[in-house]
Amino acid sequence: MDVSIIVIIKNESLYIKKCLNSILSQSYKNFELILIENNSTDGTLEIIESYKDERIKLFYYNNDSGYGDLRNYAIKKTTGKYIF
């Protein structure tokens, strides 16, 4: 895997489809999409789970300690040479 794309998510049901569709439709296909779900309560998780793409890797982080911790957790989950 060359590229890892990290998206941190919490209650993004209004925007998550547009975000995922945009990332997944890129012409460059050799990437993994690391989604860090942080206690969403608005249906975001159901939308994410409806996607059946092997590039999507969904992880759950149930700690409201801040975005720094979320990003550090996400980085540990990546396998790409480059992280976005």
Side-chain angles (χ1 to χ4, degrees), residues 7-10 34-40 45 58-77:
V7 178
I8 309 243
I9 301 158
K10 182 166 186 173
I34 305 293
L35 301 178
I36 306 298
E37 206 292 313
N38 186 24
N39 296 318
S40 290
L45 187 56
L58 176 61
F59 298 95
Y60 304 92
Y61 192 84
N62 297 319
N63 187 342
D64 288 325
S65 57
Y67 281 102
D69 284 345
L70 286 163
R71 286 187 191 104
N72 289 335
Y73 176 77
I75 288 169
K76 291 177 185 174
K77 301 296 184 185

Side-chain angles (χ1 to χ4, degrees), residues 7 17 27 42 49 70 76 78 80 82 84:
V7 178
K17 277 182 136 177
S27 60
D42 68 344
E49 289 174 340
L70 286 163
K76 291 177 185 174
T78 63
Y82 302 102
F84 295 93

